Amino acid sequence: RGFIFGLGWVLAAQTPPSPDPGLDTTVRVLTTTDVHGHVMPQDTFTLKPENQGWAKLATLIRQAREGRANTLLVDCGDELQGEPLDYVHTVLHPDQPEPAIAIMNALGYAAMAVGNHEYNFGLANLRGAEKQAAFPFLSANTLDTRTGRPAFKPYVIYKAGTLTIAIVGFTTPWIPNWEEPANYAGLRFEDIVATAKTIIPKLRAKEKADLVIVAMHSGLGKVDGRVGDENAALRLAEEVPGIDAILTGHTHQPISIEHKGVPILQASCWGKALGVLDFTLHKEPKGHWAVVAHQAQLLKPDDATVPDPEVLALTAGIRGLTERSLDTLA
């Protein structure tokens, strides 16, 4: 079992029992999105219990990963803004670690698609969080206006033995409709589907990816949508072959559907759900791994879900500072 360490996750070659030993393997993909700074399982202002937030979400992640060697944890964006905790960290106590990134580092995320709300506190803050992360921020359709090259890593490749997995990220191109120009100065946002038509074939032909996962901060949209649409997952599945799964965000919806055989999953928002996508792959005679089955589900924390102790410890300092700030304003 050759373990591969890289950019926040561990993938080990795994051969489950099968009638033809050595020819099948499984991969589990876990996805989160739009947690927006929610840490505790409670409403921020009424303090009433709510089954949401990083503390309970982390427990679900650890449970879903237990006993599974091939597990990949991916986020679809909007993690740097939302709760008072985010404001207190960014504006009042920037010396503190970014709380969501600290949690995601501890949980071993493989990648995060950049969301539109990542820009709310400005590009410098976004870049600072990116430096803190032990995993790549992905956005293939966000370009540097000066060079025309991607402003973030467009995709990342992971290997486990002969199995090659690609994760490619996209961001809704509507950011200029919402943000102050200073918050994204020097960047432009291309159509997701147009960008994917170039990059997905490259992942298959050049990178020899056996499994291609899209992580996009964009919702379903319409199959017959238009270039530049805010939400484009259905149009992506419709028009771009070679994608094995689309993990989405942005619209805060619990989604688990298929279009043209491609599973599309969105893990709600605020830590209210964890997306789980299981693949079975078969090794063909020439060495290529082919997906032969997949199954998707959304897991939701409930009253019995115990808050994760590490998340509570990592955020204790900034939560205390936030409480004191709110008390001062009251």
Side-chain angles (χ1 to χ4, degrees), residues 70-131:
N70 296 1
T71 304
L72 186 66
L73 182 55
V74 183
D75 188 81
C76 292
D78 275 9
E79 302 303 355
L80 306 183
Q81 174 275 348
E83 285 289 274
L85 172 145
D86 294 308
Y87 176 86
V88 170
H89 159 258
T90 305
V91 178
L92 303 181
H93 296 280
D95 56 307
Q96 294 286 312
E98 206 297 318
I101 301 302
I103 292 168
M104 295 167 76
N105 283 345
L107 290 171
Y109 272 76
M112 183 186 90
V114 178
N116 59 291
H117 282 291
E118 263 71 76
Y119 290 89
N120 284 176
F121 292 112
L123 190 55
N125 180 70
L126 170 51
R127 292 300 192 188
E130 184 182 23
K131 289 180 181 178

Side-chain angles (χ1 to χ4, degrees), residues 80-323:
L80 306 183
Q81 174 275 348
E83 285 289 274
L85 172 145
D86 294 308
Y87 176 86
V88 170
H89 159 258
T90 305
V91 178
L92 303 181
H93 296 280
D95 56 307
Q96 294 286 312
E98 206 297 318
I101 301 302
I103 292 168
M104 295 167 76
N105 283 345
L107 290 171
Y109 272 76
M112 183 186 90
V114 178
N116 59 291
H117 282 291
E118 263 71 76
Y119 290 89
N120 284 176
F121 292 112
L123 190 55
N125 180 70
L126 170 51
R127 292 300 192 188
E130 184 182 23
K131 289 180 181 178
Q132 182 184 327
F135 51 89
F137 282 20
L138 304 180
S139 186
N141 66 313
T142 302
L143 304 183
D144 184 303
T145 55
R146 183 178 59 85
T147 66
R149 297 178 61 82
F152 296 89
K153 199 175 184 71
Y155 63 87
V156 63
I157 299 291
Y158 292 101
K159 288 184 176 289
T162 60
L163 178 64
T164 301
I165 302 175
I167 311 169
V168 57
F170 299 103
T171 302
T172 177
W174 272 37
I175 288 171
N177 294 332
W178 306 308
E179 286 293 331
E180 293 293 330
N183 285 359
Y184 60 90
L187 304 180
R188 74 172 189 265
F189 306 92
E190 299 293 310
D191 179 64
I192 290 172
V193 175
T195 305
K197 286 179 177 178
T198 298
I199 201 167
I200 298 300
K202 175 184 177 182
L203 295 176
R204 291 294 188 182
K206 182 180 177 181
E207 301 289 359
K208 307 298 182 184
D210 300 297
L211 189 63
V212 174
I213 307 295
V214 167
M216 61 192 296
H217 190 78
S218 180
L220 285 179
K222 299 179 180 180
V223 171
D224 58 350
R226 297 178 296 179
V227 170
D229 275 352
E230 175 184 2
N231 299 303
L234 283 173
R235 186 163 63 94
L236 181 64
E238 175 73 16
E239 297 185 20
V240 184
I243 297 170
D244 293 302
I246 300 175
L247 313 177
T248 73
H250 186 54
T251 54
H252 292 202
Q253 300 298 309
I255 297 169
S256 181
I257 66 170
E258 287 188 22
H259 183 72
K260 297 188 76 171
V262 179
I264 303 174
L265 203 58
Q266 184 173 149
S268 189
C269 65
W270 298 3
K272 293 180 179 180
L274 172 68
V276 181
L277 185 54
D278 290 319
F279 290 98
T280 301
L281 297 97
H282 182 77
K283 192 171 186 180
E284 298 179 334
K286 292 185 179 181
H288 170 70
W289 290 89
V291 175
V292 295
H294 62 257
Q295 182 176 3
Q297 61 180 315
L298 292 175
L299 301 180
K300 298 181 180 181
D302 57 26
D303 292 346
T305 307
V306 178
D308 183 75
E310 186 174 15
V311 168
L312 298 181
L314 283 170
T315 60
I318 193 63
R319 285 188 289 112
L321 291 169
T322 301
E323 289 173 9

Side-chain angles (χ1 to χ4, degrees), residues 46-69:
T46 67
L47 301 184
K48 291 181 179 179
E50 295 282 354
N51 287 314
Q52 63 183 32
W54 277 116
K56 287 200 170 189
L57 186 60
T59 297
L60 291 188
I61 289 169
R62 296 190 198 279
Q63 291 172 347
R65 199 161 46 189
E66 187 175 2
R68 289 180 172 268

